[in-house]
């Protein structure tokens, strides 16, 4: 896990190359490597996870220095692939997955991607054929950006800030900014907020040669749906087996691992599965030191789930660190976070950054977390109702509606549940009516870029909705966010639910396996319940890991944001839609006239302003 940078057909001085590479220092605090020859530069910032010796350093060469690699990510099944290659006569100098990637590429070329179970951004320079191979993992867990430069050059990197010093001018891409504001398909598009830089698409690979790049898709989940048992109990067994193996291979590490634990189902399932694996003799480079849980606490707010997290750690009897995220950060630190995060999001990332900062502080370098389960298995209430058009009778309709209503009426969630349920029921039936009208007039209930694929029509409406969330909208952005918030602190996140076998499985089972017995994500609950507290396994409520943006704007950020919106820089901003209106909205939030939604709107615009100040004006950025 690390940060990569490279340039082809570009004459770079060593000083300039190191400057670009060191914009990624936070991603790889354990050292760096730089290789340059004949207009080719490959750079690597290292976060040492496997083979901590110099044998694991990059850029790495293979086959008498024909192939040169820089690689960000992990191939979790590298031991199995290495064994297969050794049987073919390959030899290895290191114990790293990086060398396995190189040997795999030499043996199978692009087909090596099908062998890999992992997350990656890979760049391999072929010295003999003078061409560059680029690859990004199936779901875009690891980032990769590129820019085509004058005179047939190409630059690529893990983050945009590593490429931007090579641009003639750094400016915002207004089309990308409009995409962000519309909340529609931002992360799955090639446009980036910095003009001239493109996002290399997930599940794609490409070749760059003679000044031209060709990119093609190598992975489409719809091409890989599985044969699954029709019997639900057998599906549960199949899920359990896949999930335990996904966790097991992600426990391979030469450093300490842990979990960012919320107390919700998904992160609890991950750490409880890890405990079960360890108790049953997990082997194969599995870390001995994994019993670390880190919990973000928001005392006095509706976002605090620490009591649920404590039930999990008490049940497992493992070490836990509870971090009170009560205070915000200084303006200087906020600018630094904006720079290192470098993208935009609708919620402040401070709590997420702080929890991974805590992991690093206490010596945990790998965090095995529960991200992805909501999008794959139906964890959001607004998705649940999408199953209604496929309900076969009144009982199924009522079961879906009840599940939808109950999701926000559990435990300590501060809502008037009687009134809330009335509203939810009315909303659910309104949605169902609209969906049925769409079907009657021949319009698709769910729109997707994948809708022409033959397998698309075989998916039920809930799975179509979840497929879009997983591949096009919600999850790609969340994966990006967690990459940034962890790597700002030099922490690697591993996500068992994003194992490609589980993604295949998720879209091969019907909605009745996901919404069942009044619960969402029911197949996860039934599969992991034997290893975790029952009250966590069957907890209905969902809070989500977010910053208390309303409380913070009205509290510790109050004066900071008032001063910001009174500044001349703010008034003269070229990226804000309406600075005066945002200032008025801020005042309404502070006066208690509006609530969370409006506070989020204020944050949306203020972070765009801060992004402009950092990236276009250079404010708060020290020389690296």
């Amino acid at each position: 896990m690390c940060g990569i940078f490279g340039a082809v057909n570009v004459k770079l001085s060593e000083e300039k190359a190191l400057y670009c590479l060191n914009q990624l220092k936070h991603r790889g605090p354990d050292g760096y490597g730089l290789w340059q020859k004949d207009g080719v530069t490959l750079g690597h910032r290292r976060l040492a996870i496997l083979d901590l010796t110099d044998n694991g350093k990059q850029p790495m060469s293979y086959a008498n220095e024909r192939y040169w690699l820089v690689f960000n990510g992990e191939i979790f099944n590298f031991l199995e692939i290495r064994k297969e290659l050794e049987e073919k006569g390959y030899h290895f100098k290191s114990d790293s997955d990086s060398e396995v990637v190189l040997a795999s590429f030499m043996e199978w070329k692009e087909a090596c991607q099908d062998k890999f179970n992992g997350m990656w951004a890979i760049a391999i320079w072929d010295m003999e054929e003078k061409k560059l191979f680029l690859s990004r993992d199936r779901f875009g867990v690891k980032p990769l950006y590129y820019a085509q430069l004058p005179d047939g050059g190409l630059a690529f990197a893990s983050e945009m800030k590593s490429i931007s010093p090579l641009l003639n001018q750094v400016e915002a891409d207004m089309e990308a900014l409009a995409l962000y504001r519309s909340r529609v398909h931002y992360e799955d598009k090639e446009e980036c907020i910095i003009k001239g830089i493109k996002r290399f698409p997930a599940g794609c690979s490409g070749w760059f040669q003679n000044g031209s790049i060709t990119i093609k898709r190598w992975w489409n989940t719809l091409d890989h749906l599985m044969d699954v048992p029709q019997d639900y109990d057998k599906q549960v067994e199949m899920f359990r087996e896949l999930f335990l193996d996904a966790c097991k291979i992600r426990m391979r590490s030469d450093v300490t691992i842990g979990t960012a634990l919320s107390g919700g189902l998904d992160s609890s399932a991950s750490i409880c599965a890890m405990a079960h694996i360890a108790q049953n003799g997990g082997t194969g480079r599995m870390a001995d030191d994994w019993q670390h849980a880190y919990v973000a606490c928001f005392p006095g707010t509706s976002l605090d789930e620490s009591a649920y997290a404590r039930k999990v750690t008490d049940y497992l009897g493992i070490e836990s660190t509870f971090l009170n995220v009560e205070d915000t950060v200084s303006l200087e630190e906020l600018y630094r976070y904006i720079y290192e995060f470098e993208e935009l999001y609708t919620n402040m990332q401070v709590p997420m950054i702080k929890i991974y900062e805590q992991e690093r502080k206490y010596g945990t370098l790998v965090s095995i977390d529960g991200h992805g389960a909501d999008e794959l298995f139906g964890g959001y209430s607004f998705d649940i109702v999408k199953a209604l058009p496929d309900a076969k009778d009144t009982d199924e309709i009522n079961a879906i509606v009840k599940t939808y209503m109950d999701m926000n009426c559990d435990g300590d969630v501060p809502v008037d549940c009687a009134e809330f349920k009335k509203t939810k029921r009315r909303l659910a039936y309104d949605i169902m009516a609209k969906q049925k009208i769409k079907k009657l007039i021949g319009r698709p209930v769910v729109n997707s870029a994948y809708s022409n694929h033959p397998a698309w029509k075989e998916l039920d409406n809930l799975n179509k909705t979840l497929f879009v969330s997983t591949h096009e909208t919600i999850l790609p952005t969340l994966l990006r966010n967690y990459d940034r918030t962890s790597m700002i602190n030099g922490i690697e996140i591993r996500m068992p639910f994003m194992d490609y076998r589980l993604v295949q499985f998720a879209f091969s089972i019907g909605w009745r396996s996901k919404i069942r017995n009044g619960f969402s994500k029911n197949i996860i609950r039934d599969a992991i319940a034997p290893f975790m507290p029952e009250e966590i396994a069957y907890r209905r409520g969902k809070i989500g890991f977010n910053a208390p943006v309303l409380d913070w704007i009205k509290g510790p950020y109050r004066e900071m944001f008032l001063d910001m919106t009174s500044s001349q820089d703010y008034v003269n901003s070229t990226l804000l839609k309406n600075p005066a209106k945002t200032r008025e909205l801020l005042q309404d939030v502070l006066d208690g006239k509006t609530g969370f939604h409006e506070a989020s709107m204020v944050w949306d615009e203020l972070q765009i302003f801060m992004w402009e100040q950092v990236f276009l004006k250079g404010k708060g950025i020290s020389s690296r």
Side-chain angles (χ1 to χ4, degrees), residues 434-444:
K434 291 176 182 177
Q435 289 174 337
K436 286 188 173 182
I437 290 171
K438 283 185 176 181
K439 290 186 77 172
L440 283 172
I441 63 176
R443 290 179 57 192

Side-chain angles (χ1 to χ4, degrees), residues 298 301 303 325 347-348 351 546-553 596:
F298 300 92
T301 78
L303 298 179
V325 188
N347 200 286
M348 295 181 187
N546 292 303
V549 60
L550 176 61
D551 296 327
W552 282 2
I553 287 179
F596 176 82

Side-chain angles (χ1 to χ4, degrees), residues 26 76 81 111 125 137 245 266 273-274 289 302 304 334 386 429 433 445 469 475 496 516-517 586 596 614:
H26 51 282
F76 302 120
I81 299 174
W125 175 250
D137 66 70
D245 191 63
D266 310 333
M274 291 161 60
D289 192 5
S302 60
D304 190 58
L334 191 57
K386 299 300 175 61
Y429 283 108
V445 175
S469 295
L475 188 56
R516 194 179 182 92
N517 300 326
L586 170 63
F596 176 82
V614 169

Side-chain angles (χ1 to χ4, degrees), residues 327-340 348 350 353-354 556-567 569-570 603 606-614 618-622:
D327 300 321
T328 52
V329 298
S330 67
L331 180 59
E332 181 181 359
E333 195 171 5
L334 191 57
Y335 274 132
R336 179 172 67 84
Y337 287 168
I338 292 285
Y339 181 72
E340 291 178 340
M348 295 181 187
V350 172
I353 294 171
K354 287 295 185 184
Y557 275 134
R558 180 188 184 97
E559 296 305 320
M560 181 192 298
F561 286 172
L562 282 173
D563 289 345
M564 186 180 296
T565 55
S566 299
S567 69
D569 286 337
Y570 176 82
W603 168 251
L606 293 188
Q607 70 163 330
I608 290 172
F609 168 71
M610 286 186 281
W611 186 94
E612 178 186 29
Q613 292 301 298
V614 169
K619 189 169 185 177
I621 304 175
S622 59

Side-chain angles (χ1 to χ4, degrees), residues 135-136 319 362:
S135 171
R136 194 172 178 207
E319 179 181 338
Y362 284 92

Side-chain angles (χ1 to χ4, degrees), residues 117 139 226 242 245-247 249-250 498-506:
N117 186 340
F139 313 112
M226 305 166 66
L242 288 172
D245 191 63
C247 291
I249 62 175
R250 282 162 178 78
M498 294 309 300
D499 188 297
Y500 77 91
R501 298 167 298 172
L502 282 170
V503 177
Q504 291 173 262
F505 176 85

Side-chain angles (χ1 to χ4, degrees), residues 324-509:
N324 285 344
V325 188
E326 297 178 272
D327 300 321
T328 52
V329 298
S330 67
L331 180 59
E332 181 181 359
E333 195 171 5
L334 191 57
Y335 274 132
R336 179 172 67 84
Y337 287 168
I338 292 285
Y339 181 72
E340 291 178 340
F341 189 75
E342 91 174 1
E343 288 277 12
L344 303 172
Y345 191 55
T346 56
N347 200 286
M348 295 181 187
Q349 296 298 293
V350 172
M352 297 74 173
I353 294 171
K354 287 295 185 184
I355 197 69
Y356 292 115
E357 179 184 86
Q358 194 83 348
E359 292 198 29
R360 181 83 191 188
K361 176 182 177 182
Y362 284 92
T364 295
L365 301 184
V366 173
S367 192
I368 298 183
D369 296 352
H371 313 307
D374 287 324
E375 294 77 16
L376 291 168
F377 293 97
Y380 300 122
S381 61
F382 52 77
D383 284 338
I384 296 300
V385 291
K386 299 300 175 61
L388 285 168
D390 292 317
K392 65 182 180 182
D393 54 34
T394 302
D395 287 343
E396 286 195 344
I397 290 173
N398 289 337
I400 294 168
V401 172
K402 186 179 187 305
T403 303
Y404 173 67
M405 294 190 301
D406 286 350
M407 287 184 71
N408 287 51
C409 284
D410 179 61
D412 299 324
V413 179
V415 295
D416 181 341
C417 279
E419 186 60 35
F420 182 81
K421 284 186 175 183
K422 289 180 184 178
T423 304
K424 281 281 187 180
R425 178 179 291 275
R426 185 168 58 250
L427 179 60
Y429 283 108
D430 285 348
I431 291 171
M432 181 173 64
K434 291 176 182 177
Q435 289 174 337
K436 286 188 173 182
I437 290 171
K438 283 185 176 181
K439 290 186 77 172
L440 283 172
I441 63 176
R443 290 179 57 192
V445 175
V446 182
N447 293 302
S448 171
Y450 295 85
S451 58
N452 290 326
H453 193 285
W456 177 258
K457 64 179 182 295
E458 303 300 323
L459 299 179
D460 57 51
N461 280 291
L462 176 61
N463 273 316
K464 287 177 180 176
T465 300
L466 298 179
F467 193 93
V468 171
S469 295
T470 297
H471 296 86
E472 300 180 65
T473 55
I474 298 174
L475 188 56
T477 299
L478 292 182
L479 294 177
R480 176 205 73 188
N481 289 358
Y482 279 105
D483 171 81
R484 295 300 195 283
T485 55
S486 61
M487 293 305 291
I488 283 172
N489 297 292
I491 293 289
E492 172 179 306
I493 294 183
R494 298 177 176 180
M495 308 175 188
F497 286 106
M498 294 309 300
D499 188 297
Y500 77 91
R501 298 167 298 172
L502 282 170
V503 177
Q504 291 173 262
F505 176 85
F507 293 107
S508 302
I509 59 174

